[in-house]
Amino acid sequence: MSHELSNLRKFVAPEILFGAGARKTVGNYARTFGARKVLLVSDPGVQKAGWVADVEQTLREALIDYVVFTDVSPNPRSEEVMRGAALYASEGCNLIVAVGGGSPMDCAKGIGIVSSHGRHILEFEGVDTLTVPIPPLILIPTTSGTSADVSQFAIINDEFERVKISIVSKSVVPDVSLIDPETTMTMDPFLTACTGVDALVHAIEAFVSTGSGPMTDMHALDAIRLINGNLADLIRHPDDLRLREQVMLGSMKAGLAFSNAILGAVHAMSHSLGGYLDLPHGLCNAMLLEHVIDFNYRETPDKFKVIADTLGVDVRGMNSSEIRKRLMQRVIGLKQEVGLKESLGVFGVNVSDIPSLSKNAIKDPCILTNPRKSSRRDVEVIYEEAL
């Protein structure tokens, strides 16, 4: 019986509207959900890029009252969530819309949790800790990477302990995700590269995860193909909407894969780095990726062979160690093509930080689905190699 249960797989996803102009339907959706007043969550960068005003105009045209909250850091902090929730309550809101990258979207999820439960956000760390539904949530991503808009994850910084906490629940899958590639046109090349590689990592980790299955594998492989085939071209041609669309589609599919198959050691270690040193999440993933592939490879070589093949490596006639070498070269090559060449040391990570980083990483829920069992010492060695 237990064997049969371990083969069960569930798949959750929001309602998704994909394509240029999708964001313009936010007023209709808000009305459908009976919006009395909307809390519009974003951050200063997205506001400066013009997307907050864009969404405000759509809400005004639909005659929907709203209040704006943009007090969100690149790695959203628990106190920011609490301030947003206080505003939601004092303004009498009953629906949340977020426009931005992973940070405003995760902050919005956090605000929803606090608003319906009336407790501090840090009390909800872990899997399935929510007991009541959160308010209706409409997310409009402006990056093609984090996939918070389709996932059952909310990642919040505990700025007191300098760690990131993961909240995993079907309740934080948004009601609607409006995925509009036009919104990604304002990303600079560095952010395009960071978020694109973040999406690639989502797909690779989901494919080799112990929670993977046929429903997630198809999305993961399609995501790898789309990002590998379009990201470098997009860095060279940032105004090409068709390329933006392809990378956004890849990011969405990677999100559907990892939300359901969960992730692995790259994300566990990256969350630890982001919490401890406040570094950009996608950049952390990029710097760790090939080192974790090297560590995990022997545990599931058949799956890594499929990944290598999907990344365009001709694996015919190669033995396992040759494929491993070529896969690592391809990953490093792709990162270099999009301009991500640095290692952790460049960003101020020291050998003396590694014990703390490793202690936090092995407590992260993402480590549980990593294909190779990882001790604290294993994680320390990977960090050392990535310096």
Side-chain angles (χ1 to χ4, degrees):
M1 183 67 195
S2 62
H3 175 66
E4 283 172 32
L5 280 176
S6 69
N7 288 332
L8 295 176
R9 292 286 183 268
K10 69 175 179 180
F11 192 91
V12 296
E15 179 176 344
I16 296 171
L17 192 66
F18 183 93
R23 68 188 188 281
K24 295 292 185 187
T25 63
V26 65
N28 295 346
Y29 276 107
R31 200 185 287 114
T32 304
F33 288 126
R36 180 176 63 244
K37 189 169 191 178
V38 168
L39 180 69
L40 177 55
V41 181
S42 192
D43 67 24
V46 175
Q47 193 164 32
K48 198 169 154 210
W51 298 116
V52 175
D54 184 280
V55 174
E56 284 184 82
Q57 187 187 337
T58 307
L59 291 173
R60 275 198 303 272
E61 285 167 3
L63 304 176
I64 290 168
D65 197 11
Y66 64 89
V67 59
V68 177
F69 178 74
T70 56
D71 184 13
V72 182
S73 303
N75 288 308
R77 297 171 185 170
S78 67
E79 285 309 298
E80 293 164 351
V81 171
M82 299 313 290
R83 281 198 291 276
L87 183 67
Y88 180 93
S90 66
E91 292 283 340
C93 299
N94 70 335
L95 187 141
I96 302 170
V97 173
V99 57
S103 306
M105 291 193 287
D106 278 349
C107 188
K109 290 179 179 188
I111 291 168
I113 294 167
V114 172
S115 300
S116 61
H117 289 78
R119 288 156 43 211
H120 197 282
I121 191 61
L122 295 177
E123 292 179 32
F124 296 94
E125 181 173 11
V127 180
D128 291 335
T129 59
L130 279 64
T131 52
V132 291
I134 69 170
L137 185 61
I138 302 171
L139 300 184
I140 306 171
T142 59
T143 67
S144 40
T146 63
S147 297
D149 54 289
V150 296
S151 83
Q152 52 178 336
F153 281 74
I155 312 292
I156 307 292
N157 254 32
D158 175 351
E159 62 273 41
F160 311 106
E161 296 289 329
R162 284 178 68 182
V163 293
K164 279 190 166 186
I165 69 153
S166 298
I167 300 167
V168 189
S169 168
K170 196 168 93 171
S171 301
V172 300
V173 176
D175 295 278
V176 182
S177 178
L178 305 177
I179 305 181
D180 187 338
E182 287 179 353
T183 64
T184 66
M185 300 290 275
T186 49
M187 284 198 294
D188 62 31
F190 177 69
L191 192 58
T192 302
C194 276
T195 56
V197 172
D198 185 17
L200 180 68
V201 174
H202 290 153
I204 291 173
E205 290 217 284
F207 188 66
V208 298
S209 156
T210 57
S212 66
M215 287 191 292
T216 54
D217 285 353
M218 58 178 185
H219 288 299
L221 291 177
D222 219 12
I224 293 169
R225 188 180 55 76
L226 284 161
I227 294 160
N228 181 57
N230 295 284
L231 186 60
D233 284 346
L234 176 56
I235 302 292
R236 287 189 285 269
H237 306 286
D239 298 327
D240 186 326
L241 184 61
R242 194 196 66 79
L243 289 172
R244 290 271 177 207
E245 219 155 45
Q246 294 299 299
V247 174
M248 193 82 165
L249 186 63
S251 168
M252 180 200 80
K253 285 172 173 280
L256 291 171
F258 92 77
S259 176
N260 292 287
I262 320 299
L263 293 155
V266 179
H267 268 79
M269 294 174 68
S270 174
H271 289 154
S272 178
L273 276 170
Y276 195 68
L277 296 163
D278 216 12
L279 292 170
H281 172 69
L283 183 65
C284 293
N285 281 341
M287 292 185 287
L288 293 164
L289 178 56
E290 67 268 23
H291 303 287
V292 174
I293 290 175
D294 195 30
F295 173 76
N296 282 335
Y297 192 92
R298 69 169 207 213
E299 203 64 44
T300 178
D302 292 350
K303 280 209 146 183
F304 279 114
K305 182 179 181 177
V306 176
I307 290 171
D309 187 44
T310 309
L311 284 168
V313 176
D314 186 353
V315 296
R316 288 172 303 183
M318 284 190 188
N319 66 31
S320 191
S321 71
E322 287 169 333
I323 295 170
R324 176 188 200 149
K325 198 170 134 192
R326 288 293 306 280
L327 171 59
M328 304 264 290
Q329 285 170 346
R330 176 64 201 125
V331 167
I332 294 164
L334 179 61
K335 289 197 319 187
Q336 288 181 335
E337 273 185 83
V338 300
L340 300 179
K341 300 182 175 74
E342 293 83 6
S343 58
L344 291 177
V346 177
F347 294 93
V349 181
N350 293 307
V351 176
S352 58
D353 297 321
I354 288 176
S356 295
L357 290 169
S358 304
K359 180 166 72 78
N360 293 336
I362 58 163
K363 288 191 287 197
D364 190 284
C366 290
I367 206 89
L368 299 173
T369 45
N370 192 65
R372 184 174 163 192
K373 288 283 163 276
S374 323
S375 69
R376 183 169 164 180
R377 182 67 200 130
D378 291 330
V379 171
E380 284 177 355
V381 170
I382 300 168
Y383 274 128
E384 283 161 16
E385 285 170 357
L387 280 182

